[in-house]
């Protein structure tokens, strides 16, 4: 599943004890495993090999330059959603011809930047956006390719904040509007509209919603062909799960076994498949290291107050997301047998793991059975590689944390901890 393991009671990332990282760079710190990133990427690539898809890593989930560079070197394209992400992915050396660009609110400046870089595919989300894109392509003399993002109206059975493919979503256009969309724009002189894009939500822990949406997308592609609009690209978006708990998510091969048979003969007839995986690659490739500042009792509850909070990792408070938390150094009898909501071991104590912010909603883990904690203990918050650092903020004027990349027995800082001067550098008194 990943390269974070206990050895004699010490948590290691690959061959580096995370305690050594904390000692060297302090906390809070995001620690990523290069080997895990690579193995998650290659497992997906191998599982979907019969379709030879373009795997566009979803930059929004973990966008550090070193991470993007490593994935680009493995052959990943990039799924980008803003000018900033285009800038970043280019700075990391990724090839813009392998970028797909989604987002409901692309500004003129962002579209111009994307056109300038010659990105591979615009995933267009509305009629007005298409018209604007065509206008800018014409003005700048840079023709481009586009796919229409459709809502297959499939329930991905995930959190309402990350459900995207339902009819009432702000993303894409309803499936029924797609044919009319192609009639209106399918022969545009500046933008070649030749693709269909969908992204049903994330994380999606079963294959059924993918099956349903692929079936609907193929029916649409057939309707479009009959109407004289050949589609050559199907972008299925992202959303594959991650193991926030041990063995929670289907394997890459299980998603592939469900999806590949539906698409094989289409691919043989020239359809190009794109996938936009994010979380399934990065989530378990990263942990957040945080130090316990204080332990206190309030009423009948025990609080471990840490130096990381919702400013560092927003997911628990924003989505009620479960992240497994455990001390990085424990007695061997307290090494967790698996990552799960309920761990049964002797001597555990019900604990609230909270951050330093002035917010009651500032927590990392609620109501957890944990080994008794003390001031200075180092905690690992697991599965924090996706939507961790990228959603971090400076709330309460806490500088952003350090990011570290481990490769084998070495580690290096891939983002320096911010200083107090960084906090105010763009402000003018
Ligand atoms: N493609 C599109 C068009 C997307 O909107 C997303 C994610 C992805 C791909 C990548 O999805 P993934 O494979 O990573 O599940 N902040 C939330 C997740 C928001 C996802 C937004 N879109 C979280 O922390 O769970």
């Amino acid at each position: 599943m990943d390269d974070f393991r206990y050895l004699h009671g010490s948590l290691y990332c690959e061959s580096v004890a995370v305690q050594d990282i904390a000692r060297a760079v302090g906390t809070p710190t995001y620690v990523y495993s290069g080997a895990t990133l690579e193995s998650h990427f290659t497992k997906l690539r191998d599982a979907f090999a019969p379709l030879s898809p373009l795997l566009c890593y979803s930059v929004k989930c973990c966008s550090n330059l070193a991470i993007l560079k490593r994935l680009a070197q493995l052959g990943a394209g990039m799924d980008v959603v803003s000018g900033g992400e285009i800038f970043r992915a280019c700075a990391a050396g990724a090839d813009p011809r392998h970028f797909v660009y989604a987002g409901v609110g692309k500004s003129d400046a962002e579209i111009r930047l994307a056109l300038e870089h010659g990105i591979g595919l615009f995933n267009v989300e509305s009629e007005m956006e298409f018209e604007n894109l065509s206008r800018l392509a014409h003005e700048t003399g840079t023709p481009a390719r586009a796919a229409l993002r459709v809502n297959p109206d499939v329930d991905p059975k995930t959190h309402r904040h990350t459900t995207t493919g339902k009819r009432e979503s702000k993303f894409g256009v309803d499936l029924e509007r797609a044919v009319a969309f192609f009639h209106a724009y399918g022969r545009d002189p500046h933008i070649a509209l030749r693709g269909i894009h969908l992204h049903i939500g994330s994380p999606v822990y079963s294959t059924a919603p993918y099956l349903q949406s692929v079936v609907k997308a193929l029916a649409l592609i057939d309707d479009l062909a009959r109407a004289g609009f050949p589609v050559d690209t199907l972008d299925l978006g992202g959303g594959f799960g991650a193991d926030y708990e041990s063995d929670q998510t289907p394997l890459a091969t299980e998603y592939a076994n469900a999806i590949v048979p539906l698409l094989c003969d289409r691919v043989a007839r020239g359809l190009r498949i794109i996938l936009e995986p994010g979380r399934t690659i990065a989530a378990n490739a990263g942990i957040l290291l945080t130090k316990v500042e204080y332990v206190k009792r309030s009423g009948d509850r025990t609080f471990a107050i840490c130096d990381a909070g919702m400013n560092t990792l927003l997911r628990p408070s924003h989505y009620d997301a479960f992240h497994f938390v455990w001390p990085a150094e424990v007695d061997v009898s307290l090494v967790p047998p698996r990552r799960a909501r309920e761990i049964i071991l002797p001597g555990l104590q019900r604990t609230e793991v909270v951050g330093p912010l002035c917010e009651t909603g500032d927590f990392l883990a609620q109501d957890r059975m944990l080994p008794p904690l003390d001031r200075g203990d180092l905690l690992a918050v697991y599965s924090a590689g996706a939507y961790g650092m990228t959603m971090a903020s400076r709330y309460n004027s806490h500088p952003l944390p350090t990011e570290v990349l481990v490769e084998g027995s070495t580690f290096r800082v891939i983002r320096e901890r911010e200083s107090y001067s960084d906090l105010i550098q763009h402000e003018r008194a």
Side-chain angles (χ1 to χ4, degrees), residues 58 60 79 162 199 202 238-239 276 278-279 315 319 387 391:
S58 199
K60 64 176 85 62
D79 156 38
T162 53
H199 170 74
S202 99
E276 301 171 351
R279 179 192 321 265
R315 302 190 75 258
Y319 306 113
Y387 307 106
M391 292 176 77

Side-chain angles (χ1 to χ4, degrees), residues 56-62 79-81 100-103 123 125 149 158-159 161-164 171 197-204 210 235-242 244 275-283 313-316 318-319 321 323 386-388 390-391:
C56 290
Y57 170 70
S58 199
V59 172
K60 64 176 85 62
C61 84
C62 185
D79 156 38
V80 296
V81 290
V100 293
Y101 179 17
N123 286 333
E125 311 230 9
R149 178 166 179 178
T158 191
H159 194 280
H161 285 174
T162 53
T163 294
T164 47
F171 301 100
H197 173 228
L198 22 115
H199 170 74
I200 51 180
S202 99
V204 182
Y210 285 103
D235 179 346
L236 295 175
F240 297 155
Y244 292 95
L275 297 172
E276 301 171 351
R279 179 192 321 265
T280 198
I281 293 175
L313 179 66
L314 184 61
R315 302 190 75 258
H318 193 54
Y319 306 113
H323 285 262
Y387 307 106
T390 51
M391 292 176 77

